[in-house]
Amino acid sequence: MRLKFSQFLVAFLIIGSLMLGGCSAQEVSLNSSPGSTAVETTTTTAEATSVSETTSESNSGMTNSLPRLEGKATVVITVKGSPITVEVDGTNAPITAGNFIDLVQKGVYDNTVFHRVVRQPQPFVVQGGDPQSKDPKSSQQLWGTGGYIDPKTGTERRIPLEIKPKGEAEPLYSKTFESARVTVAPELQHKQGAVAMARSQQPDSASSQFYFALADLGFLDGNYAVFGQVTQGFDVVNKIQQGDRIDSAKVTQGAENLKVPQ
């Protein structure tokens, strides 16, 4: 169902909240503030290339060093004692799913805060996953600006935007569907209960922050990487308030499908 004009306007005004997820403090200063019209726009002047060509060029040397999920896995996220079961789809989003499962296994999400909850004027998202929010002494103004710092490199691990178009063998990397002139729907869509990565305006800026879709958000399809779906406990998601913490996140099935480069 297409959004009515008024619904689209509301979406246009609140989508900026996602654009701040997973970026550094420096990048935040370059973006619009939450609630503003920070919708990514792209002007394409080059001739459109096929998804397979774009994927081949973008994927070369970029994803080899990142964790990959080959198949599916199940994660149980516990919030205030109540479980949320998420099916993580590495078949259609291997890098995005692999990054999430790897961070779950590292305990990165335990005790982090859901720093952004948007339900008004209509259900939108519940967003969290910033490791900075673990520290109760950290400034709440910084929550939503951080990502996972890899202890091996001392830098923030970032993953490419990864969205698989229907009918394609491989995902499209580092480009939105609009900029790549992809006209088909993604395999993984923003249905109610979808789990996806937050990012800044730069396509390859996602790190650890993720969000739950509180409603069908088709206008985000092709712009943000969905990697999973809530299969049980959506009622728990619906009760999350801003400031609530993740008690724990555990991989309960499919851990053997995670492949981590040595």
Side-chain angles (χ1 to χ4, degrees):
M1 179 183 296
R2 292 186 176 181
L3 290 174
K4 295 180 181 178
F5 178 76
S6 59
Q7 290 176 306
F8 178 79
L9 181 59
V10 170
F12 188 75
L13 292 174
I14 63 179
I15 192 174
S17 62
L18 294 181
M19 300 299 288
L20 297 181
C23 53
S24 66
Q26 182 179 4
E27 286 176 314
V28 169
S29 68
L30 301 178
N31 291 337
S32 300
S33 59
S36 67
T37 56
V39 179
E40 180 178 355
T41 57
T42 305
T43 303
T44 305
T45 57
E47 292 297 318
T49 58
S50 70
V51 172
S52 60
E53 289 174 344
T54 304
T55 298
S56 176
E57 293 172 0
S58 301
N59 201 21
S60 177
M62 180 176 58
T63 61
N64 293 338
S65 62
L66 294 170
R68 175 182 293 267
L69 185 67
E70 298 179 352
K72 295 187 177 181
T74 302
V75 171
V76 175
I77 299 171
T78 304
V79 180
K80 299 177 75 172
S82 298
I84 302 165
T85 303
V86 176
E87 181 182 81
V88 181
D89 190 342
T91 301
N92 293 302
I95 299 302
T96 312
N99 176 70
F100 184 75
I101 294 297
D102 183 55
L103 296 183
V104 168
Q105 291 192 326
K106 284 178 164 58
V108 170
Y109 294 116
D110 297 351
N111 205 38
T112 56
V113 170
F114 289 104
H115 62 272
R116 180 173 291 118
V117 177
V118 182
R119 291 194 174 92
Q120 299 296 333
Q122 63 186 39
F124 187 47
V125 300
V126 170
Q127 183 176 333
D130 183 348
Q132 295 180 114
S133 66
K134 283 176 176 270
D135 184 356
K137 297 180 181 179
S138 63
S139 171
Q140 294 186 20
Q141 293 182 338
L142 293 178
W143 295 357
T145 67
Y148 168 65
I149 304 299
D150 188 335
K152 293 182 179 179
T153 64
T155 59
E156 186 175 297
R157 178 203 285 175
R158 297 192 177 184
I159 60 173
L161 180 62
E162 176 186 55
I163 310 174
K164 186 178 180 181
K166 280 186 176 294
E168 293 287 343
E170 299 291 334
L172 173 70
Y173 287 96
S174 302
K175 291 187 177 182
T176 64
F177 276 21
E178 181 183 9
S179 65
R181 297 185 179 181
V182 176
T183 57
V184 299
E187 287 284 356
L188 302 178
Q189 301 175 25
H190 283 81
K191 301 297 185 182
Q192 185 184 67
V195 188
M197 294 301 291
R199 62 175 178 83
S200 73
Q201 289 179 321
Q202 299 301 317
D204 297 344
S205 58
S207 180
S208 63
Q209 291 184 50
F210 68 95
Y211 59 90
F212 296 110
L214 295 179
D216 291 354
L217 305 173
F219 54 91
L220 298 181
D221 287 344
N223 289 288
Y224 293 86
V226 175
F227 63 89
Q229 181 73 32
V230 174
T231 57
Q232 294 181 20
F234 187 70
D235 59 321
V236 179
V237 176
N238 263 334
K239 295 176 183 177
I240 293 174
Q241 300 297 317
Q242 189 164 312
D244 286 351
R245 290 186 180 271
I246 294 176
D247 300 333
S248 65
K250 305 294 183 185
V251 180
T252 59
Q253 294 181 29
E256 69 278 4
N257 293 330
L258 179 66
K259 312 300 178 185
V260 180
Q262 300 300 319

